[in-house]
Amino acid sequence: MNKLLGLVGGIVGIAFLTAFVAAYYCTDSDGGVAPYEYGACNSTYGPGWDTCVGGFDLSEFYCGGNDTGCVNISMYCYYGCSAGACLNETPSPSPSPSPNPSPSPSPSPSPSPSPSPVVWCNDTDGGINYYVKGTVTTQNASLTDYCVQNNKKLREYYCNGVNPASVDYSCKCRDGACPSQGKGFAGAPQPQQDNNLFYGAGVFGVAALASVIVWRSKKKK
């Protein structure tokens, strides 16, 4: 009986430890930031799907850096957004049939329309976040949070729709960020995860493995 309990405990412990150290992964079906193609992103921390917001805005999901999982940026589609992707041109209305069709000369081929320009804005610290240094990136600019007025204020950049904007915030600024409330300076934003679950699983797994080791040592005696 003790042997069976020890074996079961070892198997359960190994299973929990395997889940605890599971490798990070992130995949995006459209290969990254591809506004003219619908994509679905899936990662360790959850999924995200390219989605039209209104008629002209696109929420484009892709795999972020530093193991952050699926993140998204807002893009503006000049010719409209449909089915999770920007349109290349304005759809043409269907021609109505003529009552007495007559032959007409074949039109000369015209060049294919170029993709419509897409306006987008991305903020690495997720918006107005005084405690994390971030960078706002658009098609034409890259703006990083920094200290002003002898480090008495922070110039915080953020995305106002698809346009970059900034606000000055009073604090003891250092290296583009304000000190977080009572916790020193914040680092890069980290993905949210259930640490209590992982911690509990790890402790349970270690305890189970320890019970197997004790049982085996008693058996040898």
Side-chain angles (χ1 to χ4, degrees), residues 106-210:
S106 299
S108 58
S110 58
S112 301
S114 58
S116 61
V118 174
V119 179
W120 55 272
C121 185
N122 181 40
D123 187 0
T124 59
D125 62 8
I128 298 179
N129 187 341
Y130 304 124
Y131 310 110
V132 176
K133 183 179 181 179
T135 299
V136 167
T137 307
T138 68
Q139 287 176 306
N140 302 315
S142 180
L143 304 166
T144 301
D145 303 340
Y146 68 99
C147 302
V148 296
Q149 296 186 12
N150 295 323
N151 297 330
K152 294 180 180 178
K153 287 188 176 183
L154 166 70
R155 180 150 296 166
E156 170 73 13
Y157 287 100
Y158 63 97
C159 291
N160 183 10
V162 294
N163 298 309
S166 69
V167 60
D168 288 352
Y169 181 74
S170 297
C171 70
K172 294 180 180 179
C173 182
R174 188 178 74 188
D175 190 28
C178 294
S180 57
Q181 296 143 354
K183 298 181 180 179
F185 283 83
Q190 298 296 324
Q192 297 296 319
Q193 50 185 307
D194 193 346
N195 292 324
N196 291 330
L197 176 62
F198 286 147
Y199 177 77
V203 171
F204 183 84
V206 172
L209 288 178

Side-chain angles (χ1 to χ4, degrees), residues 59-71:
S59 179
E60 171 77 10
F61 278 87
Y62 64 99
C63 292
N66 300 321
D67 296 348
T68 53
C70 297
V71 297

Side-chain angles (χ1 to χ4, degrees), residues 1-13 207-209 211-212 215:
M1 183 65 180
N2 290 334
K3 182 177 180 180
L4 178 60
L5 290 175
L7 180 61
V8 171
I11 293 173
V12 172
L209 288 178
S211 66
V212 174
W215 173 80

